[in-house]
Amino acid sequence: DHNLPIPDEARRLTPKGHKQVQRVADFCHQLRGKSPQHPQVARLGQEITAAYLRQVRVALHTQDLAAAEEILPLSRALIQEFSLNHLERAQRVLEDKTLELRNHW
């Protein structure tokens, strides 16, 4: 729910900072190409995806729908790429909330 308080560490991950996360994601893709089964590559993919989802949450909290809509496809792609099924629900909730807010305006 976007009315819940946002932890301080998530506040530092501003939606505008997603370009930095994108650079890390690109690096992760390169690592995965060289060592696709390495557990640390999978962990990095999970951490990047979680960072994106936190950024979407912050964007929704600050009503920055453009940022949320820009980041959600990136997190969706990583969830699929790294088979992060446990993050599917969070992704859907944020997508639904973004659509709800978009339709409400």
Side-chain angles (χ1 to χ4, degrees):
D1 181 21
H2 102 129
N3 294 322
L4 295 174
I6 297 175
D8 287 341
E9 62 274 6
R11 285 186 190 283
R12 289 189 287 273
L13 291 170
T14 64
K16 305 289 188 275
H18 85 275
K19 300 291 185 206
Q20 294 169 331
V21 177
Q22 182 60 49
R23 285 196 295 273
V24 176
D26 292 343
F27 177 69
C28 186
H29 290 299
Q30 291 174 4
L31 287 177
R32 190 159 194 221
K34 293 179 182 183
S35 184
Q37 302 303 318
H38 197 287
Q40 290 301 321
V41 174
R43 174 125 171 102
L44 183 58
Q46 177 172 318
E47 291 297 322
I48 293 165
T49 306
Y52 274 144
L53 293 175
R54 284 190 300 271
Q55 288 177 332
V56 170
R57 188 166 174 246
V58 169
L60 292 176
H61 186 75
T62 60
Q63 298 184 355
D64 187 352
L65 292 180
E69 290 170 337
E70 186 176 347
I71 298 167
L72 280 169
L74 303 174
S75 58
R76 164 73 58 205
L78 287 170
I79 287 170
Q80 292 170 350
E81 179 180 347
F82 288 95
S83 301
L84 302 172
N85 299 332
H86 63 285
L87 295 177
E88 254 313 312
R89 184 169 183 267
Q91 175 78 22
R92 277 195 312 273
V93 167
L94 292 170
E95 288 170 344
D96 291 347
K97 190 61 162 179
T98 301
L99 185 60
E100 176 186 322
L101 289 173
R102 172 62 64 201
N103 290 335
H104 185 63
W105 285 7

